[in-house]
Amino acid sequence: MNLFDYPAEPFRIKSVEPVRMISREEREKVIKAAGFNTFLIPSDDVYIDLLTDSGTNAMSDRQWAGMMMGDEAYAGSRNFLHLEETVRELFGFRYLVPTHQGRGAENLLSQIAIRPGQYIPGNMYFTTTRYHQERNGGIFADVIRDEAHEASLSVPFKGNIDLHKLQRLINEKGAENIAYVCLAVTVNLAGGQPVSMRNIREVRELTARYGIKLFFDATRCVENAYFIREQEEGYADKPIADIVREMFSYGDGCTMSGKKDCLVNIGGFLCLNDEELFSQAKELVVVYEGMPSYGGMAGRDMEAMAIGLRESMQFEYIEHRVKQVRYLGNRLLEAGIPIIEPIGGHAVFLDARRFCPHLTQEQFPAQSLAASLYLESGVRSMERGIVSAGRDQHTGDHHHPKLETVRLTIPRRVYTYRHMDIVADAVISLYQKRQHIKGLRFVYEPKQLRFFTARFEEIG
Ligand SMILES: *Cc1c(COP(=O)(O)O)cnc(C)c1O
């Protein structure tokens, strides 16, 4: 191992939050009371929390200082102006509509840009994104390259759109029946896989030929830019900010969950270039979020977000971020644990199909694996498989995603490499007794976004 394969944390720790581990007997009670759903475990009962990287970021001293500069005026807050100016500069889009988080922006975009019956091609679905598309009468069409559905295929830029699939969809349905293309950078459910600049450019060229708009799901755009710099020819010396800006120069706007790459705990926004769409979005934002100058966020939150977005583009930050995730992934690979390859930008995904080959997908192997990991170690993770995929709106059957995974999601700037070691050791020890992991069945199944609040019991 080279000294700088895994750079040390590029920060000093100035404020700490104690964590504690409860006993195994207590964890057994907790996981039963949570209906084997890690979303329902009280945070105090978790030792290392890798449920999500969403809103779990640690803010910097500068961001906290910015919080004190909150202008909580109902209208025209100076923090909004700062955020607007920052996003314009870093993303290059003309208009900004703030929202309380990413799905608030997805709600607005889906309402203004989708007519019922239209298709929205995307590079793999995301739960809340697809939900809002379908709620507005849209039909999601997966146009990600085939390799993205194969956990063990290690190819670079596994998040790319397959241009042939997109072309075929346009030919079959007609360009007028495509609402827009939704391009996620990186692709969360594929394992945090990036999209290459070349692919973004080609998608832009193809959609432009048909007058189809291209909107980014910008949630992890900084992580995506790091992969481009690291792995795509011609970008090795480019500043991260320049790469992000080039990526977005090919789009018509984006939705953003600030809870990820803006390094804050709450917030989001919608960006648009089109003036007419912007005007419609502003009319709707007052219904769902608040005035167009706060959109569900406090002034102080907008200030922290403006500062955080800029910090996220510092090379030392993003390099450590991606390499810390890679450190965990490589420790697991060295021990022969099946994970999605290559290792993505925000999480390591355990491949539950290979981890629990004794369970069928309808016995929810990933859900059960996540529950077992908590029981064994106090480490909290998240199911990203059949439970998250939900049911088909029309037939009522489960969607059966090829990827059946448990996501170990690393919060930004929160844990150290030593925490990663503990997580790796916990997974390795569970792998040695994996045949004892039992299947699950629903005792409560919510109709929408069921993974958040579903409850299960063990079979047999
Ligand atoms: C988290 C996320 C969203 C939704 O954002 P929220 O802030 O949780 O509402 C959308 N897309 C992707 C890829 C995400 O990871």
Side-chain angles (χ1 to χ4, degrees):
M1 193 174 106
N2 291 317
L3 188 54
F4 293 109
D5 279 355
Y6 301 114
E9 281 68 30
F11 47 80
R12 291 187 292 206
I13 296 167
K14 130 150 80 183
S15 176
V16 298
E17 180 186 0
V19 291
R20 77 186 175 118
M21 169 87 113
I22 58 173
S23 70
R24 191 192 163 91
E25 292 74 55
E26 287 172 291
R27 295 199 298 275
E28 208 167 319
K29 281 187 206 139
V30 167
I31 195 66
K32 283 214 176 97
F36 297 89
N37 184 349
T38 52
F39 277 98
L40 302 179
I41 300 172
S43 159
D44 279 350
D45 296 332
V46 173
Y47 175 43
I48 297 176
D49 202 348
L50 306 189
L51 181 73
T52 176
D53 63 333
S54 179
T56 53
N57 302 310
M59 294 207 296
S60 68
D61 50 359
R62 280 154 203 258
Q63 286 177 289
W64 281 108
M67 295 285 278
M68 289 304 292
M69 305 290 278
D71 168 6
E72 306 305 341
Y74 192 84
S77 160
R78 83 171 93 82
N79 310 119
F80 170 71
L81 298 175
H82 182 202
L83 177 63
E84 186 182 50
E85 180 189 294
T86 305
V87 174
R88 266 199 194 132
E89 178 197 321
L90 296 175
F91 283 12
F93 296 120
R94 282 164 74 191
Y95 303 113
L96 175 85
V97 183
T99 58
H100 73 286
Q101 57 184 80
R103 72 199 68 183
E106 292 170 347
N107 175 34
L108 302 181
L109 180 66
S110 301
Q111 289 201 41
I112 61 180
I114 300 174
R115 275 186 286 107
Q118 281 188 317
Y119 289 81
I120 307 97
N123 48 346
M124 204 172 270
Y125 87 102
F126 184 73
T127 53
T128 58
T129 318
R130 186 177 68 194
Y131 176 77
H132 282 291
Q133 292 166 353
E134 290 178 347
R135 199 181 137 87
N136 287 283
I139 304 158
F140 166 76
D142 190 5
V143 293
I144 202 168
R145 61 194 290 193
D146 284 336
E147 293 92 329
H149 294 281
E150 304 292 339
S152 57
L153 266 182
S154 185
V155 292
F157 299 111
K158 215 175 165 185
N160 282 358
I161 281 186
D162 180 332
L163 294 158
H164 298 291
K165 286 189 193 172
L166 181 56
Q167 180 73 64
R168 213 176 310 133
L169 187 79
I170 298 171
N171 294 348
E172 277 170 21
K173 309 297 178 189
E176 68 286 2
N177 292 315
I178 312 278
Y180 54 86
V181 171
C182 175
L183 183 55
V185 286
T186 60
V187 187
N188 188 347
L189 295 194
Q193 304 297 336
V195 178
S196 69
M197 192 71 86
R198 178 169 172 188
N199 190 246
I200 298 173
R201 220 178 285 128
E202 287 171 344
V203 169
R204 179 50 157 191
E205 280 161 16
L206 178 57
T207 50
R209 240 178 279 147
Y210 295 92
I212 297 170
K213 286 198 158 52
L214 173 60
F215 288 108
F216 285 91
D217 180 335
T219 297
R220 295 184 182 80
C221 60
V222 184
E223 290 165 13
N224 200 88
Y226 179 81
F227 284 106
I228 289 177
R229 181 178 148 122
E230 183 183 55
Q231 293 171 24
E232 192 164 352
E233 219 187 298
Y235 290 92
D237 303 317
K238 288 243 163 81
I240 295 293
D242 290 10
I243 300 175
V244 169
R245 186 132 176 167
E246 185 188 339
M247 283 161 51
F248 291 149
S249 71
Y250 303 116
D252 297 290
C254 72
T255 55
M256 180 72 180
S257 170
K259 302 172 71 171
K260 282 85 168 209
D261 272 358
C262 291
L263 295 175
V264 288
N265 305 118
I266 193 70
F269 53 82
L270 170 65
C271 286
L272 296 162
N273 279 339
D274 184 274
E275 196 174 343
E276 172 54 28
L277 284 178
F278 174 55
S279 143
Q280 291 174 31
K282 269 197 301 188
E283 283 176 28
L284 280 180
V285 76
V286 295
V287 177
Y288 292 100
E289 310 278 332
M291 279 287 286
S293 61
Y294 73 87
M297 280 183 282
R300 54 179 173 268
D301 293 329
M302 291 189 283
E303 188 61 27
M305 194 163 172
I307 298 170
L309 186 57
R310 200 176 286 283
E311 283 181 0
S312 75
M313 297 196 192
Q314 289 166 359
F315 184 73
E316 293 71 21
Y317 155 75
I318 189 61
E319 181 190 34
H320 168 265
R321 160 76 177 151
V322 173
K323 291 197 170 168
Q324 188 185 43
V325 173
R326 197 171 289 167
Y327 175 81
L328 173 61
N330 280 334
R331 274 224 47 203
L332 294 177
L333 281 176
E334 281 156 20
I337 308 292
I339 63 171
I340 295 191
E341 291 180 77
I343 299 157
H346 69 300
V348 174
F349 288 66
L350 304 178
D351 180 358
R353 287 181 187 274
R354 283 181 290 158
F355 206 111
C356 304
H358 58 291
L359 299 179
T360 68
Q361 194 173 27
E362 309 233 332
Q363 293 173 323
F364 311 133
Q367 187 75 35
S368 190
L369 174 52
S372 301
L373 182 62
Y374 171 75
L375 177 64
E376 289 300 320
S377 63
V379 172
R380 170 152 72 173
S381 57
M382 182 194 289
E383 191 261 10
R384 291 273 90 151
I386 187 170
V387 177
S388 293
R391 290 182 185 271
D392 184 283
Q393 274 203 115
H394 302 289
T395 65
D397 295 337
H398 294 296
H399 288 294
H400 285 88
K402 261 191 141 174
L403 293 177
E404 178 71 24
T405 67
V406 168
R407 193 180 72 182
L408 302 163
T409 340
I410 316 304
R412 296 171 185 76
R413 306 193 288 205
V414 171
Y415 293 117
T416 63
Y417 286 96
R418 181 68 192 131
H419 289 106
M420 300 301 111
D421 282 330
I422 300 276
V423 173
D425 292 343
V427 172
I428 293 164
S429 126
L430 179 59
Y431 190 64
Q432 278 147 13
K433 44 188 170 181
R434 62 194 186 278
Q435 70 280 7
H436 300 300
I437 298 173
K438 291 182 182 155
L440 298 174
R441 64 176 153 243
F442 275 114
V443 291
Y444 164 59
E445 183 187 350
K447 286 199 179 57
Q448 271 108 32
L449 299 173
R450 61 184 182 180
F451 56 95
F452 283 126
T453 54
R455 307 182 70 83
F456 303 84
E457 64 185 10
E458 283 182 327
I459 306 171

